[in-house]
Amino acid sequence: LAQRVCDRYVEHGIEILHFNDDLGDTHGPFVAPGLFKRLVVPRFKNLFNRYHSKGVKILLHADGAITPLLPDLIDCGIDALNPLDTTAGVSLEHVKENFGDRISLFGGVDENILFLGTPQQVAETVREDLNIAAPGGGYILGSGAANILKGVPIANFLAMIETGKKYGRYHS
């Protein structure tokens, strides 16, 4: 059923398909990397290749400490990864350095800072994240929780947005 729905989106001109598949939690991947490679990778490759052949990009949403799975996910053909769950131990710096030339990175702003920090702390965190992930392009500013969760103070959300507008522009 999901594949038929995706096919219909593609028929109507969609350019990016967003797949949600949480693959871990704060302790690590749900499936051991070897088992993931054997059982999941072939299915993902088949699915993602189907849409790449039609010119469609793949955005994968996968929460948790999934760093051990990243080489296989990239091999499967993801074009972008969201949310870069820094509170689960995903290092924005490590992911940018090791994979940032092959995939776009989306997210990474520490959700604890968004919830509990001051607007100034949020702004500092956003600037640090931009300094790490934006050089060379391929970074989309966002929360490490994939979206802005209920309870984030509006002042902190606005600090993230305004800091992103001020410092997050790519220059030619």
Side-chain angles (χ1 to χ4, degrees):
L1 178 63
Q3 192 168 332
R4 285 191 305 217
V5 170
C6 289
D7 288 346
R8 291 294 304 225
Y9 286 143
V10 171
E11 288 170 16
H12 286 33
I14 196 91
E15 296 177 9
I16 300 172
L17 285 171
H18 182 215
F19 290 91
N20 293 311
D21 207 345
D22 287 345
L23 300 172
D25 61 14
T26 57
H27 305 291
F30 292 139
V31 177
L35 193 58
F36 181 82
K37 186 175 199 124
R38 195 175 51 156
L39 298 178
V40 178
V41 166
R43 288 171 173 79
F44 273 7
K45 271 187 178 181
N46 184 47
L47 182 64
F48 298 163
N49 285 340
R50 173 185 182 87
Y51 297 110
H52 279 147
S53 72
K54 299 171 191 269
V56 175
K57 300 289 186 189
I58 304 298
L59 167 61
L60 178 66
H61 166 93
D63 283 318
I66 62 163
T67 303
L69 305 179
L70 289 179
D72 286 326
L73 288 169
I74 292 167
D75 187 46
C76 288
I78 66 168
D79 297 294
L81 178 65
N82 161 271
L84 301 170
D85 195 348
T86 53
T87 58
V90 174
S91 164
L92 189 57
E93 188 170 24
H94 172 80
V95 175
K96 177 66 175 184
E97 183 178 314
N98 291 283
F99 310 108
D101 60 338
R102 292 180 274 169
I103 62 171
S104 293
L105 310 177
F106 182 171
V109 176
D110 186 321
E111 60 193 277
N112 289 325
I113 298 293
L114 286 172
F115 270 108
L116 304 172
T118 64
Q120 294 76 22
Q121 290 170 318
V122 170
E124 289 170 18
T125 299
V126 168
R127 284 201 62 190
E128 289 171 16
D129 290 348
L130 289 168
N131 286 334
I132 291 167
Y139 179 61
I140 302 166
L141 179 65
S143 167
N147 52 36
I148 304 301
L149 301 173
K150 182 179 178 180
V152 168
I154 189 71
N156 289 359
F157 172 71
L158 292 174
M160 182 180 85
I161 298 301
E162 293 305 317
T163 305
K165 284 181 180 178
K166 185 173 182 179
Y167 299 104
R169 302 246 183 235
Y170 291 112
H171 303 281
S172 49

